[in-house]
Amino acid sequence: FTEIVRNAQESSDVRHQAMSALAMSRSAGTLPLFQNLFETMTTRELKRRALTGIARNDNSDAAATYLIRVAEADKDFELRKSAIANLGRVAGQKSLGALTSTVDGDKEVELQKQAVIAIGKRSKSEGVPALIRIARNHPQMAVRKVAIQVLGQTGDARAIAFFTELLSNE
């Protein structure tokens, strides 16, 4: 599959399918391959699929480290956004910390909103408290709004209690 992905003579659809097939592997040994593919591919879609493969990798600590680097430093805004979305799939405090740091400190509101959505994909025990904090305290109304929308999709009792509190303050 790697040869197909790298072969510019192949159609983009075939290359995308090959990358998606590669991304199904969770083996920690494939992480350097996906990192190399991300670094060497020229199309945004192939890079995005490489990020998905990285996020699925069993070496979650190294995957989180790489995705954080892309989220913070890549020149392509859409790839930064994709890296943030993929951090929501990576277990552990490192990825959650990066997402909350993005929400709290990134200057781009779109990236903050993407981080909120990614936090919503995490376990309820991690995600719901963070989402309530964001919905209650974030300085940007647009970010608070996304946090409230994501909270509404959790069905969690803490979210319901938060909504009850919001409505009783009206």
Side-chain angles (χ1 to χ4, degrees):
F1 287 123
T2 306
E3 289 177 27
I4 294 170
V5 171
R6 292 185 191 284
N7 186 349
Q9 304 302 317
E10 291 286 352
S11 74
S12 62
D13 189 47
V14 168
R15 292 173 77 195
H16 294 166
Q17 288 178 11
M19 182 71 91
S20 293
L22 279 172
M24 297 307 288
S25 172
R26 299 183 67 86
S27 168
T30 63
L31 185 61
L33 169 67
F34 285 114
Q35 292 171 337
N36 180 266
L37 287 170
F38 180 83
E39 299 294 333
T40 59
M41 291 295 97
T42 55
T43 70
R44 181 184 290 158
E45 188 54 34
L46 285 172
K47 286 178 172 280
R48 187 175 283 145
R49 289 173 195 235
L51 291 174
T52 300
I54 291 166
R56 291 179 46 83
N57 197 274
D58 283 339
N59 186 348
S60 58
D61 189 60
T65 299
Y66 192 83
L67 291 170
I68 290 165
R69 186 173 63 78
V70 173
E72 291 175 347
D74 202 88
K75 290 174 179 58
D76 185 321
F77 183 81
E78 291 302 317
L79 290 174
R80 290 181 66 204
K81 204 169 161 181
S82 183
I84 290 167
N86 278 296
L87 274 169
R89 298 183 180 108
V90 179
Q93 286 303 308
K94 182 182 273 188
S95 56
L96 180 61
L99 291 171
T100 55
S101 290
T102 300
V103 171
D104 295 338
D106 200 283
K107 65 182 187 298
E108 296 286 345
V109 172
E110 283 305 308
L111 295 180
Q112 292 175 0
K113 291 179 351 186
Q114 185 65 57
V116 169
I117 293 166
I119 290 169
K121 290 182 176 16
R122 301 183 71 87
S123 70
K124 288 182 184 178
S125 64
E126 287 181 343
V128 170
L131 291 169
I132 290 172
R133 179 189 64 79
I134 295 162
R136 189 183 309 269
N137 301 321
H138 199 278
Q140 293 288 331
M141 176 58 82
V143 176
R144 287 197 311 270
K145 228 167 132 174
V146 172
I148 289 168
Q149 289 170 336
V150 173
L151 271 170
Q153 296 169 358
T154 67
D156 189 270
R158 293 166 293 182
I160 294 168
F162 174 69
F163 293 139
T164 302
E165 175 191 326
L166 279 182
L167 294 171
S168 67
N169 289 337
E170 287 298 312

